[in-house]
Amino acid sequence: MVQARIKLRRGLPGMLMNFSAGVILGFSMTVWLTVLMVPEKRLGQQRVSGYMSGVIKPEKVGPPDSDHLKSYKGHIYVGIMTAKKYLNSRALATYETWGKLIPGKVEFFAATGSKSSSGDMPIVSIPGVNDVYPPQKKAFLMLKYMHDHYLDDYEWFVRADDDVYIRGDKLENFLRKVDSSQALYIGQAGFGKEHEHGRLGLRPDENYCMGGPAMIMSRETLRRVVPNIHWCMKNLYSSHEDVEIGRCITKFAGITCTSAFDTREIFFNDYKNYNKGKIGELHKAVIDSAITLHPNKRPEYQYKLHTYLLNQRAGDLKKHAFELHRRIEHMTELLEPNIPAKGFSHWQKHLQSHFYPREDRDVLTWDAVVGKTLYQSPTSNDRRLSRGTPPVWKTAMDTNILQAMETVNLDYQRRYRTRCGYNSIHHGYQRVDIMRGPEYLLDLLVVCRHKSKRKVRMMLGRKSLYLHQAYTGVELQEQSSRQMALDNGSLDPDMEPTAKETVHIILPLRGRLSTFERFMKNYEAVCLETQSDVQLLIVLFTSTKEESRGILDVLDDYKAKYPFSVIKVITMTGSFSRGIGLKVGASQFGNTSLLFFCDVDVIFTKHFIDRCRANTVLGRQVYFPVMFSQYDPKFADVGGTADGDRLNQRKGPTSEGYHILTKNTGYWRFSSFGMACVYRLDFARVGEFDTSIRGWGMEDIDLFQKFVASDLETFRAVDPGLVHVYHPIHCDPSLPAVQYNMCLGSKANTYMAALPNWLRSGRTTCN
């Protein structure tokens, strides 16, 4: 045995040399021992030593599969555990949302004999397995199924529940960066609840991947574990299947779940809303980092989250397109200095909305936000001048601010090594343009963290932001009124559909022969000559024998000329009442008949008839068009009067003379609700007309208010195909005060053409 001797030199030089040699030798030994003591780590995973009888020794663990570089059929296989009772609810929602977006294969595992109403949903019915909880047997046999059928086809295998949401694109991007030939077990590490510590059979240095946010296994892990699954199923220490799977993987693959801190963000579990069974409001930071999100116990929660993520994706793509557009502009300026960059800005109109008001009434007012208080402008629908910021507005504002701060921090971190967090709103302004979207001018209080080489410094500051949340593009959904009625259950599905729905025009009339002749000329041109699906019912209140006989003769002439036409007449006695006439006329039709309440002074086009069909939906929506009303022809050139001018006498009442819609020829009659397109059933549901109302007007306003108060939607819009031809208005002083004032207001409006433009622009329609 060779003995090493170290001779110590005497004196100060010798002492210094000996001290230096000792320091060097000690440092070398420390480094050598540290290297020996550090366990092998890969992706936050730790090799573990055996602690149970029968533990597999290192030499028994086979080497990584030599064929791992071969081309697989797919990249990811996802097995989703569910139950029979959830196949048509939770499982179906999972398959219709993220299930079809996985870059690989997805299958649902349920008990024996499980089937779904969705024919294309892939279901694996495991023999001899029921849906009893906890599903330990189902979980282990699912891993065996993956191994036996797909081990050579996929690189990664995911075990998931039916209440998790997996983002397939982010999952693929994450796994592409990891070596799938190694034995890996990835997920959010769990150690059990506080009251379960010491009762799960886990050592202090052991963990498991929680099943809720999903667990990921490499192909090599599955290859090592599955041949020993029967041993794991016979040696269970707890009722938690994810704990037992983790114990089995630790024993036979020699690895534990990833212990990296950021797995809590990557495999997101919403502990705050866990008992509610849904994922709460998500901030931008969570969206950017999360690959899986858990839990969503109800189908509507899954669909809502899917829609939210798609909207976020659309916003990100829009932002990316905007950045590319800016680069194009910059490159264009460098390449062609003489050509304005805006000449190449074909994206600008889509990505930015520049609105310039042309009149003072087009200027949108801002609401002020000071702290937590909202001060609204006097023109707001809410008459309260100040109140606390509504929760919905605050949530939207906070979401936009957080997204904007993420963009700001990208630049701050690169230039100043500083990151700022949003603290509160010092003051600001907001407004909502229904065409362009919300806008914010905000002065924020922010807290910034500046990192230097040796320390981190906290700073309080202010940041001013202008935010514009532009609306996305127009979404088109085409659906027939019949289909909409079938969806809401207001139409019998056994009823045969017609090619084009028939519009039944109901016209109350008393006298006014010349005006009626003009109406019939318009009806002939629009409906009879074109053989449109339109029928006419006239409720005739008898006046003088001559006029009544004249009206009936006119109708006989049109019936003889157009024998295929459907023109009916109901004669009534007594004083004229528009409400009674329309009510009696409506009673002649079935519940699914489309009715148009009309006046003899109205001229309409075929396009209006089409809009009457399109804007009226049985059991869902009624249409109250705003017609264009002509001024008195003494003061305006309207192209036609009640008696017909030379142009219209020559070309007929459908010529362009009656449809010159300008501020010099007439006005939109917003105060009138007499023209309406409704279904007979909906008309009866709201109580029809109030026949106790007599005299001028009011019965149409009463009906309109009934529809507004009902569960039906009232669609109201200006219609250029509906024109009220001027006629003199006589207001009976014996009318009730309200009706008399309304009559005078309508009469005054017909003289507005005589007023100067500056005065006419400020007029207010009398009601």
Side-chain angles (χ1 to χ4, degrees):
M1 182 176 181
V2 180
Q3 295 181 352
R5 295 181 180 180
I6 301 178
K7 295 182 178 181
L8 302 178
R9 298 186 180 185
R10 295 181 179 180
L12 182 61
M15 292 175 64
L16 293 175
M17 184 176 295
N18 292 335
F19 177 76
S20 301
V23 170
I24 295 173
L25 180 61
F27 178 77
S28 301
M29 291 293 294
T30 301
V31 172
W32 180 66
L33 290 174
T34 302
V35 171
L36 291 179
M37 293 173 64
V38 173
E40 181 181 359
K41 292 185 178 181
R42 297 181 186 273
L43 208 72
Q45 293 181 318
Q46 181 176 339
R47 301 282 176 177
V48 297
S49 58
Y51 65 95
M52 291 188 295
S53 60
V55 68
I56 194 164
K57 295 183 179 180
E59 60 268 18
K60 292 184 180 181
V61 176
D65 195 343
S66 60
D67 296 334
H68 72 272
L69 297 177
K70 72 178 182 179
S71 177
Y72 296 101
K73 294 180 181 178
H75 185 230
I76 304 170
Y77 176 90
V78 180
I80 303 174
M81 286 209 310
T82 186
K84 282 184 179 181
K85 61 181 180 180
Y86 296 132
L87 285 177
N88 295 320
S89 55
R90 234 154 63 179
L92 183 60
T94 297
Y95 180 64
E96 290 181 338
T97 52
W98 62 266
K100 297 182 179 181
L101 303 179
I102 295 295
K105 188 177 182 65
V106 173
E107 288 184 323
F108 292 83
F109 289 78
T112 306
S114 299
K115 293 182 180 180
S116 172
S117 59
S118 178
D120 61 338
M121 189 168 74
I123 299 175
V124 177
S125 182
I126 306 177
V129 172
N130 54 32
D131 290 329
V132 175
Y133 191 87
Q136 294 169 325
K137 184 177 181 181
K138 184 192 299 184
F140 279 112
L141 292 183
M142 181 175 73
L143 297 183
K144 187 176 186 306
Y145 182 91
M146 295 178 183
H147 175 275
D148 296 345
H149 292 82
Y150 300 111
L151 185 65
D152 296 329
D153 297 336
Y154 296 92
E155 296 182 66
W156 297 97
F157 296 85
V158 181
R159 173 252 176 247
D161 288 339
D162 57 6
D163 60 349
V164 71
Y165 188 99
I166 299 179
R167 305 174 70 181
D169 54 340
K170 293 181 73 69
L171 177 64
E172 181 182 22
N173 184 55
F174 173 75
L175 294 179
R176 291 290 184 191
K177 303 173 183 177
V178 185
D179 185 3
S180 62
S181 66
Q182 301 296 319
L184 297 173
Y185 179 38
I186 305 172
Q188 183 181 149
F191 301 91
K193 298 180 180 179
E194 186 175 354
H195 67 277
E196 295 177 326
H197 290 176
R199 301 180 181 181
L200 299 178
L202 298 175
R203 296 195 311 175
D205 60 338
E206 287 184 333
N207 61 16
Y208 61 95
C209 287
M210 290 191 292
M215 61 180 71
I216 305 172
M217 291 161 281
S218 66
R219 181 171 178 264
E220 177 63 19
T221 300
L222 207 63
R223 186 182 70 84
R224 295 183 185 183
V225 171
V226 169
N228 304 282
I229 271 185
H230 293 291
W231 186 95
C232 297
M233 294 175 64
K234 293 179 180 179
N235 295 271
L236 302 176
Y237 288 78
S238 71
S239 60
H240 303 293
E241 50 89 17
D242 49 0
V243 174
E244 297 306 321
I245 289 178
R247 192 195 321 278
C248 190
I249 292 176
T250 299
K251 178 177 177 61
F252 293 104
I255 56 175
T256 59
C257 184
T258 48
S259 56
F261 180 77
D262 56 356
T263 54
R264 291 176 61 89
E265 300 175 357
I266 296 174
F267 301 91
F268 180 75
N269 203 352
D270 193 350
Y271 295 101
K272 183 178 180 181
N273 297 283
Y274 191 86
N275 292 332
K276 297 179 181 179
K278 67 176 182 178
I279 299 171
E281 296 293 337
L282 299 176
H283 293 306
K284 181 67 174 176
V286 176
I287 296 298
D288 289 341
S289 58
I291 294 178
T292 69
L293 300 106
H294 178 263
N296 268 340
K297 299 289 186 183
R298 294 173 59 179
E300 54 266 33
Y301 298 155
Q302 201 78 302
Y303 291 121
K304 181 180 178 180
L305 177 61
H306 184 64
T307 303
Y308 175 78
L309 293 176
L310 289 179
N311 286 331
Q312 291 292 323
R313 176 62 175 163
D316 292 341
L317 292 175
K318 189 175 182 180
K319 179 181 175 182
H320 180 63
F322 190 45
E323 292 297 329
L324 293 178
H325 165 65
R326 285 181 173 175
R327 294 183 187 179
I328 292 174
E329 283 192 349
H330 180 62
M331 292 297 106
T332 301
E333 291 176 352
L334 295 177
L335 292 172
E336 300 289 345
N338 297 326
I339 299 179
K342 290 186 178 180
F344 295 85
S345 303
H346 58 279
W347 278 91
Q348 188 170 9
K349 291 183 178 179
H350 175 67
L351 297 174
Q352 285 182 314
S353 300
H354 296 288
F355 172 73
Y356 302 99
R358 297 181 180 179
E359 300 180 14
D360 55 353
R361 64 180 180 181
D362 295 334
V363 177
L364 298 176
T365 57
W366 294 81
D367 296 332
V369 180
V370 180
K372 297 182 179 181
T373 305
L374 174 68
Y375 296 88
Q376 295 184 284
S377 62
T379 58
S380 173
N381 291 331
D382 193 332
R383 297 302 179 184
R384 291 176 291 179
L385 295 182
S386 65
R387 57 170 173 159
T389 304
V392 176
W393 291 12
K394 188 178 185 306
T395 301
M397 193 181 302
D398 289 345
T399 301
N400 289 322
I401 291 174
L402 290 173
Q403 293 183 14
M405 291 304 299
E406 288 294 325
T407 304
V408 170
N409 284 324
L410 290 177
D411 181 59
Y412 277 15
Q413 285 180 312
R414 183 179 67 253
R415 297 172 61 183
Y416 311 115
R417 301 186 67 183
T418 300
R419 182 174 181 84
C420 296
Y422 158 57
N423 187 1
S424 61
I425 299 175
H426 183 266
H427 72 274
Y429 304 91
Q430 70 154 15
R431 67 181 181 184
V432 179
D433 186 341
I434 60 175
M435 298 299 295
R436 301 169 57 244
E439 290 180 285
Y440 306 94
L441 283 170
L442 301 172
D443 190 87
L444 307 177
L445 295 176
V446 296
V447 178
C448 300
R449 300 172 70 252
H450 175 71
K451 290 184 178 181
S452 60
K453 293 182 179 179
R454 297 183 179 180
K455 61 180 180 180
V456 177
R457 187 173 57 173
M458 305 294 292
M459 299 175 292
L460 182 65
R462 301 262 288 269
K463 180 66 180 176
S464 297
L465 293 177
Y466 167 74
L467 307 178
H468 176 208
Q469 185 180 6
Y471 293 140
T472 56
V474 177
E475 180 180 348
L476 175 64
Q477 183 180 8
E478 188 174 3
Q479 190 175 20
S480 66
S481 59
R482 172 183 170 83
Q483 184 59 46
M484 295 174 71
L486 287 173
D487 292 342
N488 61 29
S490 59
L491 183 63
D492 185 0
D494 297 330
M495 184 178 296
E496 291 295 329
T498 57
K500 211 167 189 180
E501 196 157 13
T502 301
V503 177
H504 303 85
I505 300 177
I506 304 177
L507 177 66
L509 181 63
R510 184 178 188 275
R512 306 185 65 185
L513 177 58
S514 59
T515 305
F516 177 69
E517 290 176 341
R518 184 194 63 212
F519 175 87
M520 289 305 299
K521 287 181 180 179
N522 177 71
Y523 183 75
E524 178 185 22
V526 174
C527 304
L528 298 180
E529 292 180 353
T530 59
Q531 298 187 13
S532 300
D533 291 326
V534 180
Q535 297 181 10
L536 177 62
L537 173 63
I538 299 173
V539 182
L540 182 59
F541 289 81
T542 58
S543 56
T544 62
K545 292 184 179 180
E546 292 77 10
E547 276 198 315
S548 299
R549 185 67 263 171
I551 291 173
L552 295 175
D553 290 341
V554 171
L555 293 177
D556 290 339
D557 292 340
Y558 280 103
K559 290 180 181 180
K561 186 176 181 180
Y562 300 97
F564 61 86
S565 64
V566 179
I567 301 176
K568 299 179 181 179
V569 181
I570 298 176
T571 57
M572 297 187 65
T573 59
S575 59
F576 177 79
S577 172
R578 185 173 185 271
I580 293 177
L582 292 174
K583 185 175 181 179
V584 171
S587 66
Q588 306 300 310
F589 301 100
N591 285 336
T592 57
S593 299
L594 175 58
L595 313 178
F596 169 40
F597 298 153
C598 188
D599 275 350
V600 72
D601 300 300
V602 167
I603 295 294
F604 56 85
T605 65
K606 62 179 180 180
H607 299 296
F608 165 74
I609 297 297
D610 292 336
R611 285 189 288 270
C612 182
R613 293 189 182 99
N615 295 332
T616 312
V617 183
L618 178 59
R620 183 169 176 177
Q621 181 172 287
V622 295
Y623 180 41
F624 279 81
V626 179
M627 61 185 173
F628 186 82
S629 188
Q630 291 181 342
Y631 287 142
D632 189 336
K634 295 178 182 178
F635 307 105
D637 182 13
V638 298
T641 65
D643 297 325
D645 62 5
R646 289 181 297 174
L647 175 65
N648 286 301
Q649 286 177 349
R650 183 170 66 253
K651 295 185 177 181
T654 59
S655 67
E656 62 181 9
Y658 281 107
H659 296 278
I660 301 176
L661 312 183
T662 68
K663 62 181 180 180
N664 295 321
T665 59
Y667 65 99
W668 294 109
R669 200 163 179 170
F670 287 98
S671 60
S672 175
F673 304 92
M675 306 302 109
C677 294
V678 301
Y679 278 92
R680 171 70 178 88
L681 179 61
D682 298 333
F683 177 59
R685 282 177 55 193
V686 299
E688 303 181 341
F689 283 108
D690 184 356
T691 56
S692 64
I693 299 176
R694 299 299 177 95
W696 195 93
M698 287 298 293
E699 78 283 340
D700 52 353
I701 297 177
D702 178 74
L703 179 67
F704 178 76
Q705 291 174 344
K706 289 178 179 178
F707 276 114
V708 172
S710 70
D711 58 350
L712 299 171
E713 185 170 347
T714 304
F715 188 87
R716 184 157 171 80
V718 296
D719 199 312
L722 197 61
V723 176
H724 181 270
V725 181
Y726 169 79
H727 64 87
I729 298 177
H730 172 69
C731 298
D732 187 358
S734 63
L735 288 170
V738 175
Q739 292 175 273
Y740 183 66
N741 290 332
M742 290 176 59
C743 181
L744 291 179
S746 296
K747 184 175 182 179
N749 286 334
T750 62
Y751 300 123
M752 285 297 169
L755 298 177
N757 290 334
W758 65 269
L759 183 58
R760 192 189 319 159
S761 61
R763 71 178 177 87
T764 302
T765 301
C766 300
N767 290 329

